[in-house]
Amino acid sequence: MFLRTVDALTDTDVDWILSRAEFHRVRPFGLNESRRVVIGLVFLETSLRTRIGFASAAARLGFSAVEVTEARHSAVSMPESVEDTVRTVSGYSDVTVARVGIELAPPYGSTRPLISGGDRGPSAEHPTQALIDVFALRRLAIPLDQLTLAICGDLGMRSVRSLFKLLERTPPRRLILVTDPALPRDDLPATLASVSDYRELTDLGAVDSLYVTGIPHGVVDETVRTRLRVTLEVLDHLSADCAVLCPLPVIDEIDALAMTDPRVRVFDQSDDGLFVRMAILEFALGQSTS
Amino acid sequence: MFLRTVDALTDTDVDWILSRAEFHRVRPFGLNESRRVVIGLVFLETSLRTRIGFASAAARLGFSAVEVTEARHSAVSMPESVEDTVRTVSGYSDVTVARVGIELAPPYGSTRPLISGGDRGPSAEHPTQALIDVFALRRLAIPLDQLTLAICGDLGMRSVRSLFKLLERTPPRRLILVTDPALPRDDLPATLASVSDYRELTDLGAVDSLYVTGIPHGVVDETVRTRLRVTLEVLDHLSADCAVLCPLPVIDEIDALAMTDPRVRVFDQSDDGLFVRMAILEFALGQSTS
Amino acid sequence: MFLRTVDALTDTDVDWILSRAEFHRVRPFGLNESRRVVIGLVFLETSLRTRIGFASAAARLGFSAVEVTEARHSAVSMPESVEDTVRTVSGYSDVTVARVGIELAPPYGSTRPLISGGDRGPSAEHPTQALIDVFALRRLAIPLDQLTLAICGDLGMRSVRSLFKLLERTPPRRLILVTDPALPRDDLPATLASVSDYRELTDLGAVDSLYVTGIPHGVVDETVRTRLRVTLEVLDHLSADCAVLCPLPVIDEIDALAMTDPRVRVFDQSDDGLFVRMAILEFALGQSTS
């Protein structure tokens, strides 16, 4: 069959196709045994871990993923709105995960689950990354509320904002913050502020985990980046079972030499992200049918 | 296993791989139970709905999709021909859907189904979109041959050319056309010309459906775009159960305020496109085995 | 469900998600019936056949593929290292196939199979292409060690380097080489050198197969490209059952008119590549569990 023009289809062909389409439209989900759950991935900004991680999580669950990785554009068309793109993909999918470069809005006229893969704006968050981070903290030998946790880097990042909100629900014993005046930061939630203080990387004291946030390229100069970098010297000050975590990517926030230290567990954290994303997709599907 | 060089493979390994490949080559389809139908998607031009829609339709049917979304190019290679790219993907797939930026040609030396996702040239068509559009018209309460249908915008678009050809087979009762001399248009098929007249958007009279074609960016000036835009005022002239349809994307052909009117059913039309594409893939597979 | 901020999740929701993630983490592979094998595809350089071929091979085996097709980059981020990207995807996948634009290195801290899709550097190879090429040679009526084989073009290409290594294990009866002093070439392995000589395309004598390597765009001038091009005239000198092979893409290495000659079996070779890639993935999975 070569279908370049509708002339290639007889009237009978057209009727067969449109009747079959109606059959699919009205058929109850449960009667379609080969049907697979579809996860829509709309990533109009670059993403490695979140996009591929959800695609792989979908496959692990027996689902399929469909991906939009750039805004519609060409020499002869203006881009359609982000909202229309998200709404369209949502209509083709059971659950949609989206990173759209602006504050994410719920799709109009659709009640299907929509999950942010990290958004932008003054209240930007990255909820799925924060769940992965809390999962990594939970895997440490020490219960969350007895933990002494240090967080180093840009405390205004979207994933940190989400993480602070989750930590606020179960505050650690101590929270040590390492940052720079040149970097933005939100006011800490009160329950966290009461257990927090600010220190230098080489003066953390006994911490159970050091969480390294990314520092966006270009927002601070090299002097500040150097001051906030986890080096072999910084690791020398940490205890033998302190876990260094980071949502990745690492550009230079952890020195290349330090990356090979067994206390740096950033790839374990990344690998475990797969299981958290599987659970998030299942949670979303449960919400969509209840 | 780390396979960077063939030196990593023993002679036994090489024999195992090549013998196993021969096993796959000669094995009848039916004996491979885990084998999934593969849909090749070659989209050398930007596409959202057609590409993602067929990918999702494939998943709904239990198939897998593989995608080529840009022409081969790099600093050290000239692009291969579009025909070779389509032929290659066709060899890896059971059905291929292609939008290649030129008039689509059948792949040489392959009898596997090839479906246009919209092509270019003087006789360009977009047959699968037209099937989706007719499906949307069929879902209205009124039979197609009793319908008063208005079509507004660029009547020379490839999807409109395909739609006119399908409407010619079952002409509506009345066809009202709204366009501008600055926009191209084909001669109407005779059976449609006899039931057609040209009007303004604010003077449609009683129509059962208003179909809004896209207007490519840059081909007409803002004055013309404004004259052809569906606004709240235009909607005021339409009956309470008139359905406004559009193949999407909407840039400004329907005003943002008008988009929220319940008579604007463009996302229902888009959602239903999934079922039509499922039927098209099944039809193509039926053609390939018969 | 609309998950833009973690505020949308109750404490119970968070607990459910993190407990479920732990369930997935510890669950033995065999108890997850819907789980599908995941093939990670990291192609930071353009690829058609290798990338799509492995994606399709995965689908034919009932597996799923996840793809990274560009290095991480955006206005606000520096790219992460190639090694980190490969390691991350390896953690989400059962087998990873990678083409990264530099010499491929094994992922640190991961023992999962990593297969090169063609790398770069002084010892660059393309092992999976060479296996496909040997498979094509094996399908000829003549056993490999009785074959008179001509190879024409850039003999320094990575796929040719891998092919020479495989041919060295089972040398053909005669090896005829056609190239140009302007093109790089490695020293031939001794076992091949002893059966080889250099000739012109129009003076090949009786050969069972002519293998045409690509010639990268820009490395030689048009005069050289013309001298090494397979034209109808070249085909006139070949026997009726000589098979012309080429790993593709063909830019101008085989003349467009010559491409339609039935002795040019480059698309059969490409189609069969699917079966070889299926076998390679199965081999890698066998290695990962043994």
Side-chain angles (χ1 to χ4, degrees):
Chain A
M1 186 191 75
F2 176 55
L3 177 57
R4 193 198 72 78
T5 157
V6 291
D7 298 338
L9 300 172
T10 66
D11 289 355
T12 308
D13 294 341
V14 172
D15 276 340
W16 188 93
I17 290 170
L18 297 182
S19 302
R20 182 73 180 172
E22 180 64 12
F23 164 80
H24 285 305
R25 191 181 70 81
V26 301
R27 180 164 60 159
F29 181 101
L31 295 188
N32 181 350
E33 294 181 358
S34 63
R35 180 197 189 285
R36 290 210 303 274
V37 172
V38 174
I39 307 299
L41 303 176
V42 181
F43 281 82
L44 307 186
E45 286 192 323
T46 300
S47 167
L48 173 65
R49 268 152 286 275
T50 305
R51 179 173 65 84
I52 304 293
F54 273 108
S56 191
R60 294 297 195 203
L61 292 163
F63 306 163
S64 285
V66 298
E67 297 190 15
V68 180
T69 53
E70 55 174 336
R72 181 189 177 78
H73 63 83
S74 80
V76 292
S77 68
M78 292 285 284
E80 75 176 339
S81 72
V82 163
E83 288 75 15
D84 283 7
T85 298
V86 171
R87 171 60 187 82
T88 296
V89 174
S90 182
Y92 296 157
S93 312
D94 296 288
V95 175
T96 301
V97 184
R99 175 183 292 183
V100 295
I102 56 174
E103 181 172 325
L104 189 65
Y108 35 74
S110 167
T111 57
R112 295 189 185 166
L114 175 63
I115 297 170
S116 171
D119 70 345
R120 293 202 178 271
S123 66
E125 289 202 32
H126 195 343
T128 65
Q129 181 60 52
L131 287 165
I132 290 166
D133 295 340
V134 171
F135 186 79
L137 292 174
R138 277 212 195 185
R139 286 202 59 201
L140 303 177
I142 302 157
L144 209 52
D145 60 0
Q146 297 172 37
L147 206 66
T148 297
L149 172 65
I151 301 183
C152 167
D154 179 352
L155 305 184
M157 290 189 81
R158 57 193 179 190
S159 61
V160 179
R161 183 171 297 120
S162 293
L163 179 60
F164 278 154
K165 285 185 171 183
L166 287 179
L167 290 179
E168 192 186 359
R169 302 182 186 197
T170 316
R173 197 171 64 82
R174 294 295 307 159
L175 182 62
I176 298 166
L177 302 170
V178 185
T179 187
D180 188 273
L183 286 164
R185 72 179 91 160
D186 297 352
D187 290 333
L188 272 187
T191 56
L192 290 183
S194 67
V195 298
S196 301
D197 59 316
Y198 288 84
R199 301 215 195 138
E200 291 294 309
L201 255 188
T202 47
D203 178 37
L204 294 177
V207 298
D208 302 306
S209 180
L210 168 59
Y211 177 96
V212 181
T213 80
I215 304 175
H217 180 64
V219 300
V220 291
D221 61 25
E222 183 54 31
T223 312
V224 175
R225 293 190 82 87
T226 301
R227 191 163 75 81
L228 297 175
R229 184 171 299 138
V230 175
T231 60
L232 287 176
E233 192 200 339
V234 170
L235 292 180
D236 278 347
H237 288 80
L238 300 180
S239 66
D241 53 1
C242 175
V244 179
L245 302 175
C246 174
L248 297 176
V250 165
I251 308 304
D252 58 5
E253 298 86 348
I254 303 176
D255 189 88
L257 290 171
M259 281 289 279
T260 60
D261 188 289
R263 289 170 293 181
V264 177
R265 300 187 196 160
V266 297
F267 287 111
D268 295 332
Q269 181 184 6
S270 170
D271 292 351
D272 286 348
L274 186 63
F275 307 118
V276 180
R277 293 187 184 102
M278 289 168 74
I280 291 169
L281 291 179
E282 291 176 302
F283 177 79
L285 282 166
Q287 298 292 310
S288 77
T289 55
S290 68
Chain B
M1 187 192 74
F2 176 54
L3 177 56
R4 193 198 73 77
T5 157
V6 291
D7 298 338
L9 300 172
T10 66
D11 289 355
T12 308
D13 294 341
V14 171
D15 276 340
W16 189 92
I17 289 169
L18 297 183
S19 302
R20 181 73 179 172
E22 180 64 12
F23 164 80
H24 286 304
R25 190 181 70 81
V26 301
R27 180 164 58 159
F29 181 102
L31 295 188
N32 181 350
E33 294 182 358
S34 64
R35 180 195 188 286
R36 290 210 303 275
V37 172
V38 174
I39 307 299
L41 303 176
V42 181
F43 280 81
L44 307 185
E45 287 192 324
T46 300
S47 167
L48 173 65
R49 268 151 287 275
T50 305
R51 179 174 65 84
I52 304 293
F54 273 108
S56 191
R60 295 297 195 204
L61 292 163
F63 305 162
S64 286
V66 298
E67 297 190 15
V68 180
T69 53
E70 55 174 336
R72 181 188 177 78
H73 63 82
S74 80
V76 292
S77 68
M78 292 285 284
E80 75 176 340
S81 72
V82 163
E83 289 75 17
D84 282 7
T85 298
V86 171
R87 171 61 187 81
T88 296
V89 174
S90 182
Y92 296 157
S93 312
D94 297 288
V95 175
T96 301
V97 184
R99 175 183 292 183
V100 295
I102 56 174
E103 181 172 325
L104 189 66
Y108 35 74
S110 168
T111 57
R112 295 189 185 167
L114 175 63
I115 297 170
S116 171
D119 70 345
R120 294 203 178 271
S123 66
E125 289 202 32
H126 195 343
T128 65
Q129 181 60 52
L131 287 165
I132 290 166
D133 295 341
V134 171
F135 186 79
L137 292 174
R138 278 211 195 185
R139 286 203 59 201
L140 303 177
I142 303 157
L144 210 51
D145 60 1
Q146 297 172 37
L147 206 66
T148 297
L149 172 65
I151 301 183
C152 168
D154 179 352
L155 305 183
M157 291 190 81
R158 57 192 179 191
S159 61
V160 178
R161 183 171 298 119
S162 293
L163 179 60
F164 279 154
K165 285 184 171 184
L166 287 179
L167 290 178
E168 191 186 358
R169 302 183 186 196
T170 316
R173 197 171 63 83
R174 294 295 306 159
L175 182 62
I176 298 166
L177 302 170
V178 185
T179 187
D180 187 273
L183 286 165
R185 72 179 90 159
D186 297 351
D187 291 333
L188 272 187
T191 55
L192 290 183
S194 67
V195 298
S196 301
D197 59 317
Y198 288 84
R199 300 213 196 139
E200 291 294 309
L201 256 187
T202 47
D203 178 37
L204 294 177
V207 298
D208 302 306
S209 180
L210 168 60
Y211 177 96
V212 181
T213 80
I215 303 175
H217 180 64
V219 300
V220 291
D221 62 25
E222 183 54 30
T223 312
V224 175
R225 293 190 82 87
T226 301
R227 191 163 76 80
L228 297 176
R229 183 171 300 139
V230 175
T231 60
L232 287 176
E233 192 200 341
V234 170
L235 292 179
D236 279 347
H237 288 80
L238 299 179
S239 66
D241 53 1
C242 176
V244 179
L245 302 174
C246 175
L248 298 175
V250 165
I251 309 304
D252 57 5
E253 298 85 347
I254 303 176
D255 189 88
L257 291 170
M259 280 290 279
T260 60
D261 188 289
R263 289 170 292 181
V264 176
R265 300 186 197 162
V266 296
F267 286 111
D268 295 332
Q269 181 184 5
S270 170
D271 293 351
D272 286 348
L274 186 63
F275 307 118
V276 180
R277 293 187 184 101
M278 289 168 72
I280 291 169
L281 291 179
E282 291 176 303
F283 177 80
L285 282 166
Q287 297 292 310
S288 77
T289 56
S290 68
Chain C
M1 187 191 74
F2 176 54
L3 177 57
R4 193 197 73 77
T5 157
V6 291
D7 299 338
L9 299 172
T10 66
D11 289 354
T12 308
D13 294 341
V14 171
D15 276 340
W16 188 93
I17 289 170
L18 297 182
S19 302
R20 182 73 179 172
E22 180 64 12
F23 164 80
H24 285 305
R25 191 181 70 81
V26 301
R27 180 164 59 159
F29 181 101
L31 296 188
N32 181 351
E33 294 182 358
S34 63
R35 181 196 188 286
R36 289 211 303 274
V37 172
V38 174
I39 307 299
L41 303 176
V42 181
F43 281 81
L44 307 185
E45 287 192 324
T46 300
S47 168
L48 173 66
R49 268 151 286 274
T50 305
R51 180 174 65 84
I52 303 294
F54 273 108
S56 191
R60 294 298 194 204
L61 291 163
F63 305 163
S64 285
V66 298
E67 296 190 15
V68 180
T69 53
E70 55 174 337
R72 181 189 177 78
H73 63 82
S74 80
V76 292
S77 69
M78 293 284 284
E80 75 176 339
S81 72
V82 163
E83 288 75 15
D84 283 7
T85 299
V86 171
R87 171 61 186 81
T88 296
V89 174
S90 182
Y92 296 157
S93 312
D94 297 288
V95 175
T96 301
V97 184
R99 175 183 292 184
V100 295
I102 56 174
E103 181 172 324
L104 189 65
Y108 34 75
S110 168
T111 57
R112 295 188 185 167
L114 176 63
I115 298 170
S116 171
D119 69 345
R120 293 202 179 271
S123 66
E125 288 201 33
H126 195 344
T128 64
Q129 181 60 51
L131 287 165
I132 290 166
D133 295 340
V134 172
F135 186 79
L137 292 174
R138 277 212 196 185
R139 286 202 60 202
L140 302 177
I142 303 158
L144 210 50
D145 60 0
Q146 297 172 36
L147 207 66
T148 297
L149 171 65
I151 301 182
C152 167
D154 179 352
L155 305 184
M157 291 189 81
R158 57 192 179 191
S159 61
V160 178
R161 184 172 296 119
S162 293
L163 179 60
F164 278 154
K165 285 184 172 184
L166 287 179
L167 289 179
E168 191 186 358
R169 303 184 185 196
T170 316
R173 196 171 63 84
R174 294 295 307 159
L175 181 62
I176 298 166
L177 302 170
V178 185
T179 187
D180 189 273
L183 286 164
R185 73 179 89 161
D186 297 351
D187 290 333
L188 271 187
T191 55
L192 290 183
S194 67
V195 298
S196 301
D197 59 316
Y198 288 84
R199 300 216 195 136
E200 291 295 309
L201 256 188
T202 47
D203 178 37
L204 294 177
V207 299
D208 302 306
S209 180
L210 168 59
Y211 178 96
V212 182
T213 80
I215 303 174
H217 180 63
V219 299
V220 291
D221 62 24
E222 183 53 30
T223 312
V224 175
R225 293 190 82 86
T226 302
R227 191 163 75 80
L228 297 175
R229 184 170 299 139
V230 175
T231 60
L232 287 176
E233 192 200 341
V234 170
L235 293 179
D236 278 348
H237 289 80
L238 300 179
S239 66
D241 53 1
C242 176
V244 179
L245 302 174
C246 174
L248 297 176
V250 165
I251 309 304
D252 58 6
E253 297 86 347
I254 303 176
D255 189 88
L257 290 171
M259 281 289 279
T260 59
D261 188 289
R263 289 170 293 181
V264 176
R265 301 187 196 160
V266 296
F267 287 111
D268 295 332
Q269 181 184 6
S270 170
D271 293 351
D272 285 349
L274 186 63
F275 308 118
V276 180
R277 293 187 184 101
M278 289 168 73
I280 291 169
L281 291 179
E282 291 177 303
F283 177 80
L285 282 166
Q287 297 293 309
S288 78
T289 56
S290 68

